[in-house]
Amino acid sequence: MRIEDYALIGDMQSAALVGRDGSIDWLCLPRFDSPSCFASLLGTERNGHWWLGPTGRKPATRRQYRSDTLILESEWDTPTGTVRVIDFMPPRDRNPDVVRIVEGVSGSVEVSTQLRVRFDYGRIVPWVRRNNGHLQAIGGPDSVWLHSPVPLKGGDYAHRATFTVNEGDRLPFVFTWHPSHEEMPPQIDSEVQLRETEAMWAEWVARCTYDGPYREAVVRSLITLKGLTYAPTGGIVAAPTTSLPEDLGGVRNWDYRFCWLRDATMTLDALISSGYLDEAADWRAWLLRAIAGRPQDLQIMYGVRGERRLPELRLDWLDGYEDSRPVRIGNEAVKQLQLDVYGEVMNCLYVSRTRGLGPDDRAWAIQRQLLDYVAEHWDEPDEGLWEVRGPRRHFVHSKVMCWAALDRAVKYVEEFGRTGPVESWRRLRDTIHAEICDKGYDAERNTFTQSYGSSELDAALLVMPMVGFLPADDPRLVGTVSAIEKELMSDGFVLRYPLAADNDVDGLPGGEGAFLACSFWLVEVMAMQGRKQEAEDLFERLLTLRNDVGLLAEEYDPRYGRLVGNFPQAFSHVPLIHAARALS
């Protein structure tokens, strides 16, 4: 299936992708970054999946989330009747559960299911046994149970069942994970959990303060971001998947199941602006734990509990999504120097304070250490926002965010009475500003450039007016935006930077789609420049790229008319929220 044929369910600790045909093709337990038990998304059904739907396995006639929740409802109309499958993961008490309820809507429908559990990313075939009428699968440290009134029969290393569902029937299937050395966990009541899960989401969404013209899109994006939050620690993953390709059939396949400081700060900014201050407090606590230590040891990403080691490995037994290899777990970019992260962290903590988050002396002490590091290293080349695997450069966006880090430090002193070498921070802020305008600006073309001495453009330059580096109507920024529109747009959407044989900026072969965040940034900047109609037109086009349940991947590839990249992607839904607010 296409990437956009999937929907997300989750419990704020892990998540599953459910296909339009009723198959769960991706699920990692017990955490987002744990090895998967269903991995057919990146291989074949032999790597694990759980299909449930009318016999014949056709796409659902329609599907939707139940109101403002992560409860998915898929319906099939058949010649003999209509059946509905309700999929959700209840917020867990102890063990993670996936609940699937088959409901007869009308008539009588023959339904089938096939369960093929494969632990360790599709590699381990578990030992399966029956225990008091329930199925248990064990493989190494993992064990799962399937509880259902429908008996499944084994064969060919899978378990199957075919049964009839009449109008009014409700048949539950409950899939529960636990460590294999522990006893069977208590069985949950699927109907009770359904009611409680719906009530939880209703209460959470009721706190949303956004009331503009794009409320449906904003609320769905907020729910998606909440679904990517790791509740025990407050960490936020960039996406629940790994190795969904940026270039179909290519090598641009990365693991996004970790907490990027940049992505998390932008996510928190969106949540805070929509009334969710508790999440900001939780994330600040996670941040302080994760980065505790020397500022020079700051990483651009961490595990969901703050883990620092995220070694990158290749899973050669998986064929990859549409033959996009290699399949990777872990992320080598964890070792990169990305100076913009310091500005993102400082800006997020500053915005949190302006929105009402209370002061924290420990947080300010750590921020001062981060500022000392910025003062010593801002003039070094780095890998930049896009995590290029080519040579380090003096990326203009990185320098702008170093400026932003110092600017927010000055504002902390001026607005919140914090102490620090504010005059030194002001001087350095002004020095960085002047250097960017000198070395990062091409006066002949009237545009800022990707890096010092480069003639290339970069969509990250659109962030400059958003962080207050220059007013949006400054002639230099007007020229930059105009150049980006002329040179970095494909089918009306914004590419990150030029990809050509003579441009080795990212050190990788192949192309990629239009990075959706960049197009949303353009919407916001257009709105800031007073080009409201153009901004609204582009925003409406971007909304049409969402799938039928409102989700976005990392990129849209105009060559194929498809979503590409990891899915759903926080870095796409966050700027959607900001763009909607700018238009409102």
Side-chain angles (χ1 to χ4, degrees), residues 27 78 247-248 262 295 321 357-358 385 412 464 481 489 492 562:
L27 174 62
T78 75
D247 183 23
L248 295 173
R262 176 191 307 106
Y321 180 85
L357 188 64
L385 167 71
Y412 257 99
M464 297 174 79
V481 173
M489 296 194 76
R562 293 178 54 180

Side-chain angles (χ1 to χ4, degrees), residues 329-479:
I329 59 171
N331 200 307
E332 198 69 20
V334 70
K335 301 176 182 178
Q336 290 189 353
L337 174 65
Q338 297 178 17
L339 291 169
D340 67 291
V341 168
Y342 294 87
E344 301 288 0
V345 169
M346 287 295 298
N347 182 67
C348 181
L349 293 175
Y350 169 73
V351 171
S352 300
R353 288 286 287 114
T354 63
R355 296 299 178 95
L357 188 64
D360 186 301
D361 292 340
R362 179 166 166 254
W364 179 243
I366 291 178
Q367 287 172 265
R368 288 193 55 173
Q369 290 186 51
L370 297 181
L371 290 163
D372 290 342
Y373 186 82
V374 171
E376 294 178 12
H377 299 277
W378 71 270
D379 56 352
E380 297 178 7
D382 70 344
E383 278 87 3
L385 167 71
W386 305 124
E387 297 178 2
V388 299
R389 300 203 173 192
R392 288 184 175 180
R393 300 166 188 257
H394 290 281
F395 287 104
V396 170
H397 174 264
S398 296
K399 308 299 185 188
V400 168
M401 295 313 297
C402 288
W403 172 90
L406 292 157
D407 181 72
R408 278 27 171 201
V410 171
K411 286 181 167 60
Y412 257 99
V413 173
E414 294 174 343
E415 299 176 20
F416 305 122
R418 287 295 185 178
T419 59
V422 65
E423 290 304 324
S424 175
W425 290 339
R426 284 196 183 100
R427 287 193 299 271
L428 183 54
R429 178 187 64 177
D430 295 343
T431 296
I432 296 174
H433 195 284
E435 181 179 293
I436 294 170
C437 293
D438 177 34
K439 296 183 178 181
Y441 175 69
D442 185 336
E444 184 175 337
R445 295 167 60 207
N446 188 30
T447 180
F448 286 95
T449 59
Q450 183 178 55
S451 60
Y452 290 175
S454 168
S455 61
E456 305 292 352
L457 296 175
D458 192 320
L461 300 170
L462 294 169
V463 173
M464 297 174 79
M466 299 179 199
V467 298
F469 183 82
L470 286 172
D473 59 357
D474 184 282
R476 291 165 292 184
L477 281 184
V478 172

